[in-house]
Amino acid sequence: MNNRIEALQYALKAHREKLLRHNVYQSLETLEDLRLFMEHHVFAVWDFMSLLKALQRDLTCVTLPWMPVGSPTTRRLVNEIVLEEETDVDQEGQPVSHFELYLRAMDEAGADRTLIEQLLHRISEGKSVNSALDNVGIDASVKYFVRNTFSIINSGKPHAVAAAFTFGREDLIPDMFRHLINDLNARFPGKLDTFIYYLDRHVQLDEEVHTPLALQMVSELCGDDDDKWQEALEVSQACIEQRIELWDGIRNLLPSEAG
């Protein structure tokens, strides 16, 4: 592995461990708790796709007429990840995006999709993401999380977007989701089959395929530029801290915590 990637991962170690020790995972005691978790976490599932599509927009050609853009290696890395995030397969082998799969999991668990659907509806009407967030009654921790994501997207810095995508998402997700998977099936039989499939699928793809590709992408984009590596570190740290704040916000809203 690239020495600079290893150095960046080492610098993020304390932040990662703080996130993975978060007690939101252990706080999901009831199905009602899990529904509330999903109703807020779905916003992170959604804005993740915008991070990925920003990389596809910046690192490949998505306009006409087509022209070769950037490095063929980076184009392939991005397009491979897009293929499986935007058009993966469900339990029956049918194409589905991970976001749509998550919405199915919410329906199966009895979670309320109203807030995420309100956000998407307002955006489809032409409102900006920030404006739409202001018009949806979601917790402040969710708003801050999504706004942080889009501030990185709007920075115009592909290496920063790649760092957020890699170290704020792909490299974290397997360990985060393992904490959730542990005993869900035993505790809630038949209620969470799609959710468990979603979690398992993410762990498998991110660990075996997407994270190695994403790490390579960060290396390609930062190259030998010290400033880009420093910015990649700072963005990654901020993304992990933002996730901790999101987990804090969700934990504080849980019915079992309030009780």
Side-chain angles (χ1 to χ4, degrees), residues 114-129:
T114 300
L115 292 178
I116 186 65
E117 288 180 347
Q118 285 178 351
L119 180 78
L120 298 184
H121 178 68
R122 283 165 172 72
I123 292 172
S124 72
E125 289 181 327
K127 293 187 182 298
S128 69
V129 172

Side-chain angles (χ1 to χ4, degrees), residues 8-209:
L8 199 159
Q9 289 177 314
Y10 182 78
L12 292 174
K13 187 176 179 182
H15 296 271
R16 283 176 55 91
E17 289 177 352
K18 180 181 176 184
L19 174 62
L20 296 174
R21 288 196 305 268
H22 201 289
N23 65 0
V24 72
Y25 313 108
Q26 291 74 36
S27 298
L28 301 175
E29 298 174 359
T30 67
L31 191 56
E32 189 177 2
D33 287 338
L34 191 63
R35 287 169 180 152
L36 185 140
F37 174 86
M38 296 174 79
E39 288 161 11
H40 292 76
H41 177 236
V42 67
F43 287 86
V45 177
W46 171 72
D47 78 351
F48 168 84
M49 286 302 302
S50 292
L51 267 179
L52 177 56
K53 298 300 280 188
L55 288 170
Q56 190 179 40
R57 176 197 65 191
D58 293 341
L59 302 176
T60 76
C61 182
V62 291
T63 57
L64 296 175
W66 179 87
M67 297 287 287
V69 173
S71 156
T73 300
T74 305
R75 291 199 300 265
R76 184 174 181 87
L77 295 175
V78 172
N79 286 331
E80 282 191 32
I81 297 173
V82 169
L83 174 66
E84 289 175 328
E85 293 289 350
E86 195 170 31
T87 52
D88 198 11
V89 292
D90 63 15
Q91 299 98 309
E92 285 72 46
Q94 297 301 309
V96 66
S97 72
H98 286 177
F99 174 71
E100 291 161 310
L101 189 63
Y102 199 94
L103 293 180
R104 289 186 199 172
M106 290 179 70
D107 290 340
E108 186 177 72
D112 189 351
R113 291 165 44 170
T114 300
L115 292 178
I116 186 65
E117 288 180 347
Q118 285 178 351
L119 180 78
L120 298 184
H121 178 68
R122 283 165 172 72
I123 292 172
S124 72
E125 289 181 327
K127 293 187 182 298
S128 69
V129 172
N130 279 335
S131 176
L133 286 168
D134 284 335
N135 285 277
V136 175
I138 53 176
D139 189 69
S141 63
V142 177
K143 292 183 182 180
Y144 295 149
F145 186 90
V146 175
R147 283 186 171 134
N148 179 64
T149 300
F150 279 89
S151 71
I152 296 167
I153 289 171
N154 294 330
S155 71
K157 298 176 178 179
H159 65 281
V161 178
F165 177 82
T166 302
F167 299 106
R169 305 294 181 105
E170 295 291 75
D171 195 38
L172 281 174
I173 284 172
D175 287 336
M176 278 198 308
F177 282 4
R178 279 196 184 94
H179 286 75
L180 286 172
I181 293 169
N182 284 339
D183 61 347
L184 286 178
N185 203 30
R187 289 165 58 199
F188 308 112
K191 297 284 188 180
L192 303 175
D193 292 348
T194 303
F195 187 50
I196 292 168
Y197 174 82
Y198 167 87
L199 297 174
D200 280 333
R201 187 70 178 153
H202 252 296
V203 168
Q204 177 193 357
L205 285 175
D206 292 348
E207 196 162 60
E208 297 176 8
V209 183

